[in-house]
């Protein structure tokens, strides 16, 4: 993002550096050797201790459906701020949080019980404003998010299986 700002500083006088929207959907899953309730309870906790990229969660209001928070999230060394609301809450099955702010996103968690295991699916839809030109930055940012998603799912697995 920093190098884009430098490029844009050079293009601003020619009008070539208007903001553009970067949006995408990424998804992944992991099989966890734990029951769905244990996995769901960890993800549904409002403190987000399982997510090292969540730098701050404040103004927690409520639990479950309709609960809200303010957050600070870090991706690629850049901090983003926003608010989240839980829009779907089906215990041990599905959890959806919609966020708005510097990054608009929908995080959909699906919990698929399998005897003594759980298949945890995470789908993240996001949208954010970035300065042009974004072609190179889009690939870098998307790559960071894909890696973050895989790392996040593996970290959750490790935490629950220890």
């Amino acid at each position: 993002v920093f190098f884009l700002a430098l490029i844009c500083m050079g293009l601003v006088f020619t009008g070539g550096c208007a903001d553009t929207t970067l949006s995408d959907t990424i998804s992944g899953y992991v099989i966890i050797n734990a029951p769905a309730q244990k996995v769901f309870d960890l993800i549904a906790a409002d403190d987000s201790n399982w997510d090292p990229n969540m730098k701050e969660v404040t103004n927690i209001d409520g639990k479950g459906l309709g609960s809200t928070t303010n957050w600070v999230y870090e991706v690629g060394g850049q901090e983003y701020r926003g608010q989240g609301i839980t829009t779907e809450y089906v215990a041990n099955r599905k959890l959806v949080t919609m966020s708005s702010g510097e990054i608009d996103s929908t995080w959909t968690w699906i919990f698929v019980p399998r005897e003594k295991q759980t298949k945890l699916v995470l789908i993240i839809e996001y949208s954010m404003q970035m300065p042009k030109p974004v072609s190179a930055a889009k690939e870098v940012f998307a790559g960071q998010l894909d890696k973050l998603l895989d790392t996040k799912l593996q970290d959750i697995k490790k935490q629950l299986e220890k």
Side-chain angles (χ1 to χ4, degrees):
V1 174
F2 177 71
F3 74 92
L4 283 176
L6 292 176
I7 292 169
C8 286
M9 286 169 51
L11 296 174
V12 74
F13 297 109
T14 63
C17 200
D19 283 348
T20 189
T21 301
L22 170 64
S23 60
D24 202 356
T25 300
I26 59 174
S27 63
Y29 75 92
V30 66
I31 304 297
I32 300 172
N33 293 315
Q37 181 177 352
K38 185 175 180 181
V39 179
F40 185 87
D41 288 347
L42 177 71
I43 303 303
D46 289 323
D47 58 17
S48 299
N49 283 334
W50 54 267
D51 189 346
N53 296 86
M54 188 65 72
K55 297 302 175 190
E56 185 178 316
V57 177
T58 59
N59 299 324
I60 298 169
D61 187 13
K63 287 201 172 282
L65 186 63
S67 63
T68 60
T69 62
N70 290 349
W71 49 261
V72 177
Y73 200 79
E74 183 180 328
V75 179
Q78 179 73 30
E79 288 188 350
Y80 300 92
R81 298 178 184 283
Q83 303 79 37
I85 183 168
T86 301
T87 59
E88 288 186 57
Y89 189 96
V90 181
N92 308 329
R93 296 288 181 183
K94 188 175 185 182
L95 182 64
V96 179
T97 303
M98 295 181 73
S99 293
S100 60
E102 294 175 318
I103 299 178
D104 295 333
S105 65
T106 301
W107 290 54
T108 302
W109 299 91
I110 301 170
F111 306 81
V112 183
R114 296 178 160 186
E115 296 193 20
K116 296 180 182 181
Q117 299 177 322
T118 302
K119 178 178 181 181
L120 176 61
V121 179
L122 174 56
I123 304 164
I124 303 172
E125 301 169 67
Y126 66 90
S127 177
M128 63 185 291
Q129 294 295 309
M130 291 187 77
K132 286 184 181 177
V134 297
S135 57
K138 182 177 180 178
E139 291 177 20
V140 170
F141 190 78
Q144 288 177 341
L145 284 179
D146 284 338
K147 182 178 177 185
L148 177 72
L149 178 85
D150 292 339
T151 301
K152 184 178 306 307
L153 289 171
Q154 289 304 315
D155 287 348
I156 292 167
K157 177 180 175 71
K158 286 177 192 170
Q159 185 171 346
L160 287 165
E161 291 182 353
K162 63 180 171 181

